[in-house]
Amino acid sequence: MAIIELTDVHKTFMKAREAVEVLMGIDLGVEAGDFVALMGPSGSGKTTLLNIIGGLDGATAGEVVVADANLDALSSRELARWRARTIGFVFQFYNLLPVLNAQRNVELPLLLTKLSGKQRRRNAQTALSIVGLDDRAGHKPGELSGGQQQRVAIARAIVADPPILVCDEPTGDLDRENAEEILDLLRILNRDHGKTVIMVTHDPKAADHAKRILHLDKGKLVQEVAA
Amino acid sequence: MFAQVFEVTVMNLKNLPNRLGSSSVIVVGIGGVVGVLVAILAMASGFQSTLDRGGDPQRAVVLRGGSDNELSSFMNTETINVVASMPGIVEASPELYMVADVPKRSTGTDANLIVRGVSPDAFTLHDEVVIVEGRRFVPGRGEIIAGRGAHVEFAGIDIGNSVKLRQSEWTIVGIFEADGSAYESELWVDLPVAQSAFRLDGGASSMRLRLDSPERVDELAERIESDPRLDLELFGEVEFFARQGGGLTNTIRTFGYAVAVIMAIGAVFAALNTMYAAVVSRTVEIATLRALGFGAFPVVVSVMIESMALALLGGVLGAAVSYFGFNGYTVSTLSNASFSQIAFDFAVTPELLRDGLVWALSLGAIGGLLPAVRAAVLPITVALRGE
């Protein structure tokens, strides 16, 4: 059963009063529990497609149905609530809040739930344990390595137990060893925890961890490879 | 929702130490506005309070018809006797009101100082007058008792000194206080000696009356004004002092608000600039929160709370500087009603401090609103790129 269903999706930006079509008729289906890598040259529309799937941006035309929700039909407030429930984001530069320690960073998505403070702390601890950083809960991002920060970001992405993880170049800022650890972690989350993972990457070795690799070029899906 | 607002606000406030320089622009700017506003309004408040304190609802002032101040009023002995014998009057004090040139301590230049000739009965009627140094003048002698304000503001107004008033020598023998009222800006002398020295035999400028009840004021005013033998007007003392000070008090207040508004415009721009910078420096953080599902409202509220917290800090500092720098500070000014100097203390009242803080919070809210809205409406995908 498809958890992500895109039909004839177009996205156009206005640049210097000129319309630039970034996505041109994307049709895509992703089954629940899949691990998809999106590859392609710069400007091919990978991140735009990822943002549309994650509900951060809207399509100019076409239909986007993710986790049974037609995203075009949601107001910005409904979309924010939907993201909180459905999507876990992992960014290239981690996007942790520097003034909060790892525990508080991981707790952030749970502030949008009705969980008690005690339950929030417990869930955050569990998420940190899953990524192997329960002993670093009190550290602020500046006190952690790049790989550790990305693990905290992954813990934040999974703490509210969303079905889909949206990862934008999650290893783009890491050395090979740390990158492998992060990719292994994503694979475990996909395999053992049933998370559907959509990952944008330039790195073929990173893409090899996915079950499927999709290539975009000039706004179109041009190739699909089973990894 | 509250947890969201709280968490985002805590994050913003924890970020403040990283932005001490820019944040202090808001604190200092709004602190300056509040400090100046409170100080100027404290001047108006102190001046009006000084005049108000002289007013007793059971006392009345009688002036010549058409005179709105004691300086331009005069009445003869016969008139004084007619008034003093009217029913409802408990005590009557004819008083001679003159102005003398005396140098001010602060500038050395001559300024008008009120000299009030009073009879011994005046001390019963003006029961707020208390000798705090020296002694009362002896009737029949050229002696002066000086109000505390006159003593502080005018050169040579010290016990034991001789003062030359209109060609005659007077000796200062005492200092009095009068509950902080405008009487403290005056010199008091014996009425008959003053009448003789100033060649005003038998007359007085005004009368102070103590009535048997405050309700008697209107009745007596009507009686005096309708008496064909008299060309006089009677005012309740409270109303009299309010009229004396109203013009100047309003002028000071208007000036204070005008200065504050001009400064406030500058402070709002400073706040806007600082908060825009704060929002820009946290664009990615705010966008991340919004990507995670935080709504626009907590973002707007948290940015505004930060702006208002900084403004409140500025307001507290400004109010504190104003309070510790000016409260109780004695100055004198020319009363446009009496053409003489009235000494008064700046009065930084709790109401003024409250108003100052309300101003600070308002400026903080105005300064924070636009940056807050920007933070909330910037497209998440754009903001995540730090643009």
Side-chain angles (χ1 to χ4, degrees), chain A residues 51 56-57 80 83-84 89 91 95 97-100 104 108 111-112 156, chain B residues 3-4 7 11 14-15 284-285 288-294 380-381 384:
Chain A
N51 287 338
L56 297 178
D57 205 352
R83 283 198 303 270
F89 289 97
F91 303 98
N95 291 24
L97 304 190
V99 293
L100 303 182
R104 296 292 295 271
L108 280 174
L111 295 173
L112 305 168
R156 182 182 66 188
Chain B
Q4 288 186 48
E7 202 66 28
M11 181 192 79
K14 280 186 172 177
N15 253 315
V284 175
E285 291 174 29
T288 302
L289 288 172
R290 290 175 58 207
L292 295 180
F294 283 75
I380 298 174
T381 51
L384 280 173

Side-chain angles (χ1 to χ4, degrees), chain A residues 159-197:
Chain A
V159 72
D161 198 23
I164 301 170
L165 296 184
V166 164
C167 310
D168 190 2
E169 300 272 12
T171 59
D173 196 44
L174 299 176
D175 58 31
R176 173 53 52 196
E177 187 182 345
N178 277 306
E180 282 299 322
E181 287 180 10
I182 292 300
L183 291 164
D184 285 343
L185 187 55
L186 290 176
R187 196 156 53 183
I188 290 168
L189 291 171
N190 171 248
R191 186 188 65 210
D192 299 346
H193 297 265
K195 304 295 179 194
T196 303
V197 181

Side-chain angles (χ1 to χ4, degrees), chain B residues 179-236:
Chain B
D179 197 22
S181 69
Y183 293 120
E184 290 188 9
S185 300
E186 300 178 352
L187 304 182
W188 282 20
V189 299
D190 184 40
L191 178 62
V193 178
Q195 287 170 330
S196 169
F198 292 94
R199 298 186 181 86
L200 295 166
D201 288 343
S205 307
S206 64
M207 290 180 77
R208 289 290 195 283
L209 308 176
R210 179 176 293 284
L211 311 178
D212 56 4
S213 85
E215 288 73 34
R216 185 73 77 169
V217 171
D218 290 341
E219 177 197 325
L220 207 54
E222 200 176 316
R223 181 188 290 266
I224 283 177
E225 282 165 30
S226 61
D227 191 321
R229 296 169 297 171
L230 305 173
D231 175 23
L232 300 174
E233 279 186 89
L234 181 142
F235 305 93

